[in-house]
Amino acid sequence: MTRWLARLLIAVLCLGTTTVLLEGPAFAHGQLVESSPEKGGTLAEARQTLTLWFTEAPPGNAHFTVTGPDGKRVERQWLTGATKRLDEPVTELFLIDGKWEPRLYHEGYSVEIPVAYWPKTGDYTVEYLSMASDGEEVKGKLEFTYAGKTGKAPADWTEPTHGPDPGLLAAIEAAHSQDNRPVTLPTTDTQTVTTAAPSVVPSPVAAPDTGDDSPLVWLIPVVLGLGVVVLLARAMRRPPAKKTGRSGNPAKNNRPKAGAKRR
């Protein structure tokens, strides 16, 4: 019975570890949570718009690019899309009074990125640069494969060459250089409340930028899970202790011999 329970516990731990790997929390705020097409996915048919969902609505001067396999940009000016309820809430961490406190986000704020044309099949990259409500930089990219029909550039098309808005870059730099930034505390819904930072409470700072593919997000739970599994495996293999008599010898040796007289 004990071994059966140990095996069940190992299975639960393995399942929990897998869940952590697949759905780790986002450390910074305003991060990308969903996209269409999905990251690493394949787009089989041409479409006019790509959609990205974030936990916060990006500011108007956020920067988005779509680059094709030939290195040419094919995006038009992005637009604010509709808000939707996320299938799974996203946990983001805030550093409050020296401790990381989780906050759940249930809504996704979409960005629509029109694509002028699809010049080639192959790998496309969407890159974005924005700033969250707490002043943290929101930066990343997603890649997908396009396998649909190709076409020529529209007659009125001019490939964009501009970079991020100078005001956005200045705001990000200023936010990082400030010692006492406002404290942004998300409420129970998707709205946020900004208050002045008390002298005894550190301002919220996003955890170190580990990137989407960094091992730090999943390495710690994996190590802990493996450690517990090893301990349980050793406990299962450990033989039960033998009962001993008063003299220290096995109890069966203390039984009186046949024919011996009792005192």
Side-chain angles (χ1 to χ4, degrees):
M1 184 66 178
T2 302
R3 291 192 176 185
W4 183 86
L5 290 176
R7 291 174 183 172
L8 179 60
L9 181 57
I10 291 175
V12 172
L13 288 173
C14 292
L15 179 60
T17 301
T18 303
T19 302
V20 171
L21 294 179
L22 296 177
E23 299 182 3
F27 289 113
H29 313 140
Q31 295 301 296
L32 177 69
V33 290
E34 290 185 24
S35 65
S36 179
E38 297 180 351
K39 182 178 181 180
T42 298
L43 188 59
E45 298 180 356
R47 65 169 61 175
Q48 297 181 346
T49 303
L50 307 179
T51 307
L52 281 64
W53 284 273
F54 297 84
T55 56
E56 291 183 355
N61 59 353
H63 186 62
F64 296 88
T65 63
V66 181
T67 306
D70 55 358
K72 295 183 178 180
R73 290 168 55 178
V74 294
E75 85 280 354
R76 296 186 185 272
Q77 177 61 39
W78 67 275
L79 304 170
T80 299
T83 302
K84 76 168 186 176
R85 183 84 172 179
L86 298 175
D87 295 334
E88 294 291 340
V90 176
T91 302
E92 294 187 347
L93 304 179
F94 286 76
L95 185 61
I96 305 298
D97 198 18
K99 297 180 180 179
W100 291 106
E101 295 188 2
R103 293 290 185 270
L104 287 179
Y105 288 81
H106 298 272
E107 303 293 331
Y109 299 83
S110 68
V111 168
E112 305 286 347
I113 309 175
V115 177
Y117 71 111
W118 299 94
K120 293 184 177 182
T121 59
D123 296 333
Y124 282 73
T125 302
V126 180
E127 296 185 81
Y128 54 90
L129 177 63
S130 181
M131 188 175 71
S133 60
D134 65 341
E136 286 298 319
E137 180 183 35
V138 178
K139 182 179 181 181
K141 67 178 180 179
L142 68 91
E143 298 176 343
F144 65 93
T145 300
Y146 177 69
K149 295 182 180 180
T150 59
K152 296 181 179 180
D156 60 346
W157 171 251
T158 300
E159 180 183 357
T161 58
H162 64 279
D165 179 65
L168 173 64
L169 297 177
I172 293 175
E173 181 64 25
H176 284 299
S177 63
Q178 290 177 359
D179 294 331
N180 296 315
R181 294 199 299 270
V183 175
T184 303
L185 297 176
T187 59
T188 55
D189 54 15
T190 59
Q191 302 298 321
T192 59
V193 178
T194 303
T195 59
S199 59
V200 296
V201 179
S203 60
V205 180
D209 185 9
T210 59
D212 293 338
D213 301 322
S214 172
L216 293 180
V217 176
W218 51 265
L219 182 58
I220 294 178
V222 169
V223 173
L224 292 177
L226 289 177
V228 174
V229 170
V230 170
L231 292 177
L232 289 174
R234 289 183 177 178
M236 291 172 60
R237 291 197 303 266
R238 185 177 302 171
K242 296 182 179 180
K243 297 182 179 181
T244 59
R246 297 181 180 178
S247 60
N249 295 326
K252 65 180 181 179
N253 294 334
N254 292 336
R255 296 177 180 175
K257 297 181 179 180
K261 297 181 178 181
R262 296 185 180 180
R263 295 182 180 180

